[in-house]
Amino acid sequence: MPQPLPLQTFTDVACTVCGCVCDDLRIVVEGERIISADGACELARPWFLGQSSQADSAPEVDGVSSTWNAAYDRAVAILKSARAPLIYGLSRSTTEGQRAAVALADFLGATIDTTASTGHAPSIVALQQVGESTCTLGEVKQRADLVIFWGSDPVTTHPRHLERYCPPDATLVVIDSSETATAKRAEIFVKVPVANNWDALWTLRMLVKGIACEAAPDWRALAERLKACRFGVVFFGSGLTQGRLAHRTIEALLQLVTDLNDHTDPETRRRFYARRMRRYGDVAGADSVLTWQTGYPFGVNFAAGYPRYNPGEFTAPELLARGEVDAAVVLGAETTHDLPPDAQTTLRNVPVILLDAPTGKLPFVPAVRFPTAVYGIHRPGTAYRLDEVAIPLKVLLPTSCPSDADVLTTLHERVKPTL
Ligand code: SF4
């Protein structure tokens, strides 16, 4: 009679499937399998239950199973011959992997970029221009009486965000181009086409400041709500980050928040904040690590021997679309799905070294594929929640696969010239 496998229960487990990084999950492991994930939402549950110890995972060279040594040799040859390498992804990694990626990029004279380039890059450019007023999700949960989602639909993309971080008695407002799942739960829904967001924000700025202007009744009523709240927050997402001048739209939003925090009026007791809804589990960490290591949050080029930053010039979608990359190191295949078609074409035509869990789906055949451990499943680490709060990750399952930090460090060691 087979012996029952031992059960292990882990509490306060963090989930990195989306930027909420919920850290209250209860995971039960039987042998080397996760059999239950209490607290996981519909996005997270299949992800946790699909994890394994990655037994028998081996690297691949040109799609064929290989030894680790042969894979490292091929990857090192690619990196040594590359004149314009790109390191991209990083938002499914952790602080440890991101630091190793920056060190390798620095040594190679490469460009390093994160998935912010296909997401909140315009928001980062905007906050560099006009600043931002921020708070933690804990402060929102404890104090907010007005919560606005503008161009974001957390019920679909961050399913536990409302439950975990929004007070149930706060007024919920959704501003979006269509009636999303979150809009259906909102007390106030204002429909605005993506192309009109900038006008809507400037209209609100004028109404909040008491400047006479033409405005629809919906916007006048919303401006009164904004002025009447004690603690308001706007969570904004991809509906505001689209288009060539998206950074101007987000500047207007951040300036509206600054207007609402104008305390030259002693009667004002209001506090207002804006927070980005981040997609991946540690994209906020990627911004942070790149900033403290290079001075810049994304799109950093080391070709001159020092870090240079220029969105559009050194960001992966544009670099790849222009064909200015001759080799790529990708951390997390999933992150390449959001790249524009021209960029994906280049990725199919240059040698790619991919670091990812063995199950990741691929839009291209990498020259070298290293199966890596998953942080928060097989390796400890630190991920940053969408409000930049650092969350520790636990080990739930064993694996023989190295972490991406291990692989990058080994590549760095091997690519260095021997004296
Ligand atoms: S909301 Fe996001 S972080 Fe929380 S359990 Fe769901 S996928 Fe994971």
Side-chain angles (χ1 to χ4, degrees):
M1 183 125 172
Q3 293 292 313
L5 293 167
L7 290 183
Q8 261 186 298
T9 300
F10 297 87
T11 55
D12 299 328
V13 173
C15 166
T16 58
V17 174
C18 83
C20 284
V21 195
C22 301
D23 58 351
D24 60 346
L25 276 60
R26 184 173 174 277
I27 303 289
V28 179
V29 172
E30 183 184 45
E32 296 188 357
R33 256 180 357 110
I34 292 176
I35 59 167
S36 78
D38 293 345
C41 68
E42 62 268 25
L43 295 182
R45 186 168 295 106
W47 185 80
F48 274 101
L49 298 183
Q51 299 295 335
S52 72
S53 59
Q54 304 180 334
D56 305 326
S57 295
E60 291 174 8
V61 174
D62 296 325
V64 177
S65 185
S66 138
T67 64
W68 285 91
N69 239 337
Y72 278 119
D73 285 348
R74 176 72 190 282
V76 166
I78 291 169
L79 294 178
K80 280 188 170 174
S81 61
R83 298 184 62 196
L86 166 72
I87 299 180
Y88 178 69
L90 283 77
S91 50
R92 285 282 186 224
S93 186
T94 60
T95 301
E96 297 73 8
Q98 290 149 359
R99 287 183 71 139
V102 173
L104 181 62
D106 189 2
F107 179 79
L108 294 172
T111 300
I112 184 165
D113 192 24
T114 79
T115 55
S117 288
T118 57
H120 271 288
S123 314
I124 297 171
V125 171
L127 73 91
Q128 287 169 334
Q129 295 296 320
V130 298
E132 64 173 350
S133 307
T134 69
C135 61
T136 67
L137 294 174
E139 289 174 275
V140 174
K141 177 71 176 179
Q142 297 301 324
R143 299 178 190 159
D145 59 355
L146 177 65
V147 178
I148 301 173
F149 290 98
W150 197 319
S152 66
D153 179 20
V155 170
T156 306
T157 56
H158 300 66
R160 293 190 63 205
H161 190 280
L162 289 176
E163 161 217 323
R164 266 179 67 82
Y165 304 122
C166 298
D169 52 354
T171 302
L172 183 60
V173 178
V174 171
I175 304 169
D176 217 319
S177 57
S178 61
E179 192 180 14
T180 59
T182 310
K184 288 189 171 69
R185 294 201 198 172
E187 189 175 315
I188 299 169
F189 168 53
V190 183
K191 190 170 175 177
V192 54
V194 169
N196 292 2
N197 279 323
W198 186 89
D199 302 88
L201 283 159
W202 274 90
T203 300
L204 276 178
R205 287 196 71 192
M206 287 193 281
L207 292 171
V208 163
K209 281 180 164 282
I211 299 171
C213 64
E214 284 184 18
D218 277 358
W219 295 112
R220 290 190 183 281
L222 182 58
E224 292 308 312
R225 287 273 186 161
L226 297 180
K227 289 196 287 186
C229 79
R230 297 289 296 266
F231 185 118
V233 60
V234 189
F235 291 105
F236 62 102
S238 57
L240 279 189
T241 59
Q242 298 167 23
R244 286 179 64 81
L245 295 176
H247 59 292
R248 293 293 184 208
T249 305
I250 296 161
E251 276 178 23
L253 172 67
L254 299 178
Q255 287 170 311
L256 170 66
V257 170
T258 302
D259 296 341
L260 287 160
N261 286 322
D262 180 358
H263 296 295
T264 50
D265 176 359
E267 295 300 309
T268 303
R269 295 269 187 273
R270 187 176 52 238
R271 296 284 185 277
F272 225 97
Y273 305 93
R275 298 272 26 174
R276 287 163 274 160
M277 292 294 285
R278 311 304 300 266
R279 292 171 297 169
Y280 299 112
D282 198 29
V283 64
D287 297 349
S288 300
V289 172
L290 258 69
T291 302
W292 89 59
Q293 296 271 299
T294 73
Y296 305 113
F298 66 99
V300 182
N301 177 273
F302 286 99
Y306 55 86
R308 290 182 297 164
Y309 166 66
N310 194 7
E313 184 178 6
F314 300 132
T315 35
E318 292 82 6
L319 266 181
L320 287 165
R322 292 194 301 264
E324 293 175 4
V325 170
D326 61 0
V329 179
V330 173
L331 276 72
E334 171 197 15
T335 61
T336 61
H337 292 285
D338 296 326
L339 290 168
D342 286 357
Q344 299 219 16
T345 301
T346 302
L347 268 189
R348 282 192 284 274
N349 293 329
V350 299
V352 174
I353 300 163
L354 176 68
L355 283 63
D356 198 2
T359 50
K361 290 202 182 81
L362 304 181
F364 53 86
V365 179
V368 185
R369 177 174 189 165
F370 291 103
T372 51
V374 179
Y375 292 106
I377 299 289
H378 310 109
R379 287 279 188 276
T382 307
Y384 283 69
R385 209 166 61 184
L386 62 87
D387 56 350
E388 280 116 23
V389 169
I391 307 283
L393 304 180
K394 294 188 176 179
V395 176
L396 309 175
L397 296 175
T399 185
S400 56
C401 288
S403 67
D404 56 13
D406 297 334
V407 173
L408 291 165
T409 305
T410 304
L411 285 175
H412 193 160
E413 290 298 320
R414 291 195 182 198
V415 91
K416 277 182 189 168
T418 43
L419 299 174

